[in-house]
Amino acid sequence: MGSSSPTVEIFAIGNELLLGEVVDTNTSWLCRLLTGLGGKVGRAALLPDDVEAIRSELEGALRRRPDLVFTTGGLGPTEDDRTLIAVALATGRPLEEHPQALRMVAARYQALAAAGYVASPELTPPRRKMALLPQGAVPLANPVGVAPGVLLPLEPTPLICLPGVPEEMKAIVQGALAPYLQSRFGRAGFAELRMLVDCGDESRLAPLLEEIRRQLPQVYIKSRARAFGPGVRLRIYFSATASTPEEAQALIEKARCRLEEQLAKAGIASEILSRED
């Protein structure tokens, strides 16, 4: 890629996002991940399940020539899952049944039927639809759901299409897609953590955070103030990238432990937040 900061565009697809029925957490997660890997997200948009709308945005992205384009949503078995139709039209790569993708879908339904989650493993037309990929695409194994992710390795702008269910999207990015991201960014491990501290004065935390930054420059650490006053608790955000997710997590844990030691010395209580908080 031509710059030290690869450029990325992200399109989250689904009528439910635009109706406000579902909150788009996928884009924020991808932004944190890709920024942490050294990328620069230059554009992100919410799109309806409309082929022409998706096609128009993708054609615009291909004209802008970012280093990567991500889509999330619209890969499922129903009629309104239309992302790959739009990709095929925007790229001139017609949809065709991909043998490997079909094997992935078949294996998932076999497992689901064996577990009693679906009545039959039969590859019905809606199920086979999830194996229709743009010509030249590579399926990405989905260990959580059924629909494979899709990598269309166009140059200079590859397209990566991911499911809209956050657990599926993350599992593909951290699993099947990780080697490709490492080849594009030089690393593919990302970890993050949020901490809540019993302190309403960000200036009191500043020297403690600066000490952690000095000790562990590989870790991004930032306090986030929302208000002043008694009972206010500040959030601390950590993120790190490395060659593997395990190495990135180890850096985060080291930073967390050191900060907790500093907070304890200062008489400041803290707690770790779940990913949903």
Side-chain angles (χ1 to χ4, degrees):
M1 290 176 287
S3 70
S4 58
S5 295
T7 55
V8 182
E9 297 192 11
I10 302 169
F11 301 109
I13 297 164
N15 291 338
E16 66 277 11
L17 303 177
L18 294 169
L19 291 171
E21 294 175 355
V22 174
V23 175
D24 172 31
T25 60
N26 289 336
T27 296
S28 60
W29 189 87
L30 284 170
C31 285
R32 294 195 302 272
L33 169 73
L34 297 165
T35 300
L37 293 176
K40 181 179 180 181
V41 179
R43 181 179 175 86
L46 303 182
L47 305 178
D49 293 305
D50 179 85
V51 170
E52 287 306 314
I54 302 167
R55 174 185 183 173
S56 175
E57 288 289 346
L58 290 175
E59 289 176 343
L62 294 173
R63 287 193 295 270
R64 290 187 291 273
R65 299 164 69 90
D67 294 301
L68 284 174
V69 169
F70 283 80
T71 72
T72 63
L75 303 187
T78 63
E79 188 276 335
D80 63 345
D81 289 313
R82 301 170 178 168
T83 297
L84 294 182
I85 297 173
V87 169
L89 293 171
T91 61
R93 300 292 188 97
L95 294 180
E96 56 186 22
E97 190 169 88
H98 193 291
Q100 184 183 2
L102 189 62
R103 287 193 294 272
M104 289 177 177
V105 172
R108 290 296 292 157
Y109 276 110
Q110 289 283 352
L112 291 169
Y117 295 137
V118 298
S120 164
E122 179 187 357
L123 285 176
T124 61
R127 293 174 178 180
R128 296 185 79 103
K129 172 180 176 290
M130 291 183 282
L132 291 173
L133 308 188
Q135 190 176 69
V138 178
L140 303 169
N142 181 347
V144 176
V146 176
V150 177
L151 167 62
L152 185 56
L154 304 177
E155 290 297 344
T157 303
L159 304 183
I160 297 168
C161 303
L162 301 168
V165 177
E167 293 77 13
E168 297 183 31
M169 183 273 298
K170 293 175 185 178
I172 293 172
V173 170
Q174 295 173 329
L177 189 62
Y180 181 79
L181 292 180
Q182 186 164 20
S183 74
R184 301 290 292 191
F185 291 91
R187 48 191 173 175
F190 175 76
E192 60 181 348
L193 179 142
R194 291 172 176 78
M195 179 184 289
L196 200 61
V197 298
D198 289 333
C199 178
D201 183 356
E202 197 172 22
S203 67
R204 186 180 175 195
L205 295 176
L208 306 183
L209 302 186
E210 184 55 38
E211 177 63 17
I212 302 300
R213 293 189 192 101
R214 187 189 64 77
Q215 295 173 1
L216 293 167
Q218 313 96 311
V219 178
Y220 173 79
I221 180 170
K222 174 66 177 175
S223 60
R224 291 180 176 163
R226 295 187 176 181
F228 284 99
V232 171
R233 307 174 79 191
L234 295 181
R235 291 181 180 233
I236 310 295
Y237 174 74
F238 302 78
S239 66
T241 57
S243 297
T244 66
E246 292 76 17
E247 290 177 18
Q249 187 63 45
L251 287 169
I252 291 290
E253 287 300 309
K254 187 178 292 186
R256 177 188 64 79
C257 289
R258 292 188 183 181
L259 180 58
E260 286 181 340
E261 290 173 3
Q262 296 294 328
L263 292 171
K265 289 178 183 177
I268 300 172
S270 65
E271 66 174 292
I272 304 303
L273 294 173
S274 70
R275 291 185 179 182
E276 289 73 29
D277 290 326

